[in-house]
Amino acid sequence: MLHRIFGIETEYGLLINQEQPDRPPSWIAHQIIDHLFRTKRAGVLDLHHRGYDEPPGNGGFLLNGGRMYVDMGHLEFASPECHSLRDLVASDRAGDWLLQDAIEELGLSENVSVIKNNIDHETDATFGCHENYLVSRNFPFSYNGLGKLIPFLVTRQIFTGAGRIGATENIDGWIPLEQLSREPDLLQQPSNRLTIPYQISQRADYIVNDFFEWVQHNRAIINTRDEPLADPTQFRRIHLLVGDSNLSEIATALKMGTTGLVLQLIEDGHAPNGLDFTDPVEALRQVSRDQERTWMLTLATGETLSAIDIQERFLECAQTQYQGQDEETDWILQEWEEVLRDLRGDYTTLVGRVDWASKLWLLETFRQQEHLAWEDPWLKSLDLEYHNVDPHKGLYFGLMDEGKAPCVTTRDAIELAKYSPPRDTRAFGRGEVIRYLADSSWSGIQEPEDEARQFPPYVINWSVFQVRGSKAFIMPDPFRSYIQEVRTHLKL
Amino acid sequence: MMKMIQETHARTFMLNALSHPIGLERREQPSHPLPRPLGPSEDGGGPKRPDTESAEKDNLLKRMRKVDPKQAERYRQRTGE
């Protein structure tokens, strides 16, 4: 087990498959939230204003210690803090299952689908899958330190990308500020939708900076927002929004596991040198859009390396330093090595493990059978269906049914993660609070009275909670469960 | 201790009534590492190419043919983060 706390935040899309929908996706999203919290009592709703666009009742913390809420019209699940990849993958999929269950229980599954992707082909909208890694406050949060993560992130899409048909023409939210912007030369060519039939990343087209602190505009390879959600004197939270949502459990585990190891290399001063790009944003896009998938890149030194070569440099450093560190590390190192080796050969050997490869194989198979051109709208619909979390419809789950998609978790573990927190992080203590409140009369509150809005009976956040009549309870260390202290505090 | 057990049972009952599967608890530590992938690399000889010519492909094609060709046109989302 890596000595690291992991978390994933997923924004979902909602497909309403009607010619003239009665309601917008955001209305459906709020119905699902109400069902989860008021009917199923899978958690407790926030009764206070968490911030702009997050009024009371907009979402809340779940019994599993994570959060479900509506953010900018999207359902979003933030996993609880996890100390192992096994727990993280189970928690990530538990979020999918909670939403799919809700759709079915509300009788909406005929016309509504929960889509775990990051783009909308029609309007070029994008929405994220954010990764969170807890690091020490001593982490070298500088261009020289964190900058070593850039070449890794630019190239890891070769095994973490979810793939998509086409390209976006206009970067949403582009703000051309001096010094902060670059000309989106490729994206301004209207013919790109046709010249890029398929690319390996969903998010690459929307990343316009190397470092930046915003999350809705001028998205960067590394988000520099300093919001540790823990003791700020001890911890930082590395928050990444460059990655795609993954359906493949192997891809999710590898994405988080390899990134965790590279952060460890940086912390320990062992990250490889000399892999910087002159223009990392362009390199990111170049890798994603390379139709030959040779992924050749020119470094700032003038050296030419492939994305696989660059990944192998990181892998070799991690093997040298951390082989035998623990079983989870060894698992990551072995899977990482195998996937890089296989990327040098026929991409179809990666079906089931790498999302872009799985989707491309499905689309190519279908195209050949149905004699379709890449421009055919049916292929975009299949691209979307790959990400449908309904196991009876989603194309990824079709691969799983046919034994082509290996798993790293089990149905029992996912079922458990829907309502139970990991027991070795502070999510355990938080889950106890949620359970206590869900059992109490406060959980039946439908619409907070004015007084409750001003002085709500409880306020819960990632690192602190307060229940009316008692003092605030602070949980600054995500590695601690606080379970006994929380039970004492709540007089359980 | 007895009081704690009784209270635990009471809470278990209440939560079971709400269909919460708390009879199972998540492990504090994983008892074994992430499993080896069940598919391609089992024999240690490197991943095999998926059998793209088998009847399994037919099942996948059936699933794909059920997809509404126009559904992507209806998928219009707000930009998020």
Side-chain angles (χ1 to χ4, degrees):
Chain A
M1 178 187 299
L2 303 175
H3 187 60
R4 180 142 351 261
I5 298 289
F6 300 95
I8 297 178
E9 305 158 52
T10 303
E11 290 180 287
Y12 295 86
L14 281 175
L15 168 65
I16 305 177
N17 224 342
Q18 294 172 307
E19 283 295 338
Q20 292 184 319
D22 303 328
R23 305 283 186 178
S26 57
W27 186 88
I28 304 280
H30 283 289
Q31 290 298 108
I32 291 170
I33 291 291
D34 283 355
H35 179 74
L36 281 172
F37 288 93
R38 297 187 202 279
T39 306
K40 294 191 75 175
R41 298 169 78 173
V44 293
L45 284 168
D46 300 323
L47 299 179
H48 67 293
H49 274 276
R50 284 179 61 85
Y52 178 75
D53 208 22
E54 286 197 87
N58 185 64
F61 279 96
L62 297 162
L63 291 165
N64 68 16
R67 273 185 67 73
M68 192 76 82
Y69 50 106
V70 179
D71 191 5
M72 303 188 71
H74 292 268
L75 282 162
E76 179 161 346
F77 172 64
S79 77
E81 302 91 332
C82 296
H83 197 179
S84 72
L85 294 179
R86 178 185 288 275
D87 272 348
L88 184 70
V89 173
S91 295
D92 182 58
R93 296 214 52 209
D96 304 346
W97 284 25
L98 283 167
L99 294 175
Q100 182 60 32
D101 288 351
I103 290 283
E104 290 172 11
E105 288 157 4
L106 286 165
L108 298 171
S109 58
E110 187 73 21
N111 292 321
V112 178
S113 297
V114 179
I115 306 294
K116 191 179 187 180
N117 79 339
N118 309 104
I119 57 155
D120 156 357
H121 293 96
E122 292 301 308
T123 69
D124 287 338
T126 186
F127 32 99
C129 175
H130 297 188
E131 303 153 46
N132 296 288
Y133 306 86
L134 196 73
V135 297
S136 159
R137 196 69 193 176
N138 295 326
F139 185 93
F141 204 77
S142 62
Y143 190 84
N144 285 338
L146 206 48
K148 294 188 190 311
L149 188 58
I150 292 276
F152 170 77
L153 293 176
V154 165
T155 53
R156 76 169 188 177
Q157 60 181 304
I158 60 178
F159 58 87
T160 65
R164 64 161 291 182
I165 289 181
T168 191
E169 291 179 11
N170 302 297
I171 300 172
D172 170 78
W174 173 256
I175 297 177
L177 299 175
E178 287 294 323
Q179 308 299 320
L180 298 178
S181 63
R182 56 185 301 283
E183 287 300 319
D185 41 358
L186 271 177
L187 303 181
Q188 287 180 338
Q189 295 172 14
S191 59
N192 269 329
R193 279 183 192 274
L194 299 180
T195 58
I196 309 291
Y198 188 83
Q199 58 177 312
I200 66 171
S201 165
Q202 298 219 331
R203 289 283 270 185
D205 281 352
Y206 298 89
I207 302 297
V208 295
N209 273 302
D210 46 5
F211 298 93
F212 205 63
E213 61 185 330
W214 295 355
V215 293
Q216 292 168 16
H217 305 285
N218 286 4
R219 296 178 186 87
I221 296 170
I222 296 176
N223 179 249
T224 53
R225 185 170 70 186
D226 186 6
E227 188 185 19
L229 302 175
D231 181 350
T233 66
Q234 289 192 61
F235 302 109
R236 274 190 188 275
R237 180 171 59 113
I238 303 295
H239 182 239
L240 302 178
L241 47 76
V242 67
D244 295 348
S245 296
N246 290 112
L247 273 293
S248 159
E249 294 182 8
I250 294 281
T252 300
L254 265 182
K255 175 174 70 178
M256 302 298 292
T258 56
T259 307
L261 283 179
V262 172
L263 289 171
Q264 190 177 354
L265 286 171
I266 295 170
E267 285 169 329
D268 296 343
H270 297 310
N273 292 311
L275 297 175
D276 299 337
F277 300 110
T278 305
D279 187 343
V281 173
E282 180 55 36
L284 183 79
R285 200 165 297 145
Q286 192 180 330
V287 171
S288 182
R289 292 174 169 217
D290 182 357
Q291 299 303 296
E292 302 300 318
R293 295 189 293 279
T294 58
W295 302 314
M296 296 307 294
L297 295 164
T298 303
L299 305 180
T301 59
E303 186 181 6
T304 299
L305 291 176
S306 74
I308 301 173
D309 296 331
I310 292 169
Q311 281 292 314
E312 284 178 343
R313 295 273 182 98
F314 282 96
L315 170 66
E316 285 161 13
C317 286
Q319 285 172 324
T320 302
Q321 297 298 326
Y322 307 129
Q323 188 81 54
Q325 175 172 260
D326 51 55
E327 289 178 308
E328 199 160 82
T329 298
D330 287 349
W331 181 90
I332 297 164
L333 292 173
Q334 184 161 350
E335 290 300 315
W336 194 3
E337 183 176 1
E338 287 182 10
V339 83
L340 294 180
R341 183 193 64 206
D342 299 339
L343 280 163
R344 291 194 183 279
D346 182 346
Y347 84 90
T348 64
T349 60
L350 293 151
V351 170
R353 288 181 291 162
V354 172
D355 283 311
W356 72 257
S358 305
K359 189 190 289 181
L360 181 58
W361 176 69
L362 287 166
L363 294 175
E364 285 285 21
T365 302
F366 195 76
R367 250 169 41 81
Q368 289 167 15
Q369 286 286 321
E370 301 293 330
H371 309 290
L372 300 177
W374 275 107
E375 297 78 25
D376 194 291
W378 203 351
L379 296 182
K380 284 183 185 171
S381 294
L382 291 170
D383 179 344
L384 208 57
E385 197 72 353
Y386 180 86
H387 301 267
N388 191 332
V389 302
D390 183 342
H392 303 297
K393 294 181 180 173
L395 300 188
Y396 177 77
F397 300 106
L399 290 171
M400 198 178 265
D401 287 351
E402 300 302 330
K404 294 180 187 297
C407 298
V408 299
T409 187
T410 63
R411 291 187 63 83
D412 283 349
I414 300 168
E415 193 63 45
L416 190 58
K418 283 160 62 177
Y419 303 110
S420 302
R423 294 166 64 86
D424 53 356
T425 71
R426 70 178 174 194
F428 194 18
R430 185 184 311 111
E432 194 74 356
V433 180
I434 306 302
R435 202 173 292 282
Y436 168 79
L437 292 169
D439 290 348
S440 75
S441 57
W442 286 327
S443 65
I445 293 172
Q446 296 295 306
E447 293 297 332
E449 301 291 336
D450 285 347
E451 185 184 2
R453 286 181 190 275
Q454 284 187 314
F455 306 103
Y458 56 82
V459 174
I460 308 163
N461 216 324
W462 291 102
S463 57
V464 63
F465 70 87
Q466 184 166 17
V467 178
R468 184 181 287 169
S470 63
K471 293 181 179 175
F473 187 97
I474 301 170
M475 299 188 287
D477 184 353
F479 285 102
R480 287 185 57 195
S481 79
Y482 294 97
I483 190 66
Q484 293 306 330
E485 296 97 317
V486 167
R487 285 173 178 160
T488 301
H489 186 82
L490 296 173
K491 300 182 176 58
L492 293 176
Chain B
M1 176 63 82
M2 183 57 73
K3 186 178 177 218
M4 193 171 79
I5 293 170
Q6 286 170 342
E7 287 176 353
T8 302
H9 285 173
R11 285 173 42 237
T12 302
F13 173 78
M14 288 177 67
L15 290 163
N16 279 341
L18 293 170
S19 303
H20 295 156
I22 65 163
L24 297 166
E25 288 190 325
R26 297 177 80 173
R27 281 182 299 276
E28 207 152 323
Q29 302 281 337
S31 56
H32 48 87
L34 292 163
R36 300 287 302 134
L38 303 176
S41 301
E42 281 288 281
D43 62 2
K48 297 169 185 164
R49 181 179 176 134
D51 183 359
T52 54
E53 302 303 325
S54 70
E56 294 165 352
K57 196 164 74 174
D58 292 340
N59 292 333
L60 289 164
L61 284 167
K62 273 184 204 165
R63 188 180 281 238
M64 287 192 272
R65 287 195 185 102
K66 286 181 186 172
V67 175
D68 179 350
K70 292 188 174 179
Q71 72 174 15
E73 294 172 16
R74 302 190 187 104
Y75 187 62
R76 291 165 188 258
Q77 307 296 305
R78 283 178 62 183
T79 276
E81 296 184 345

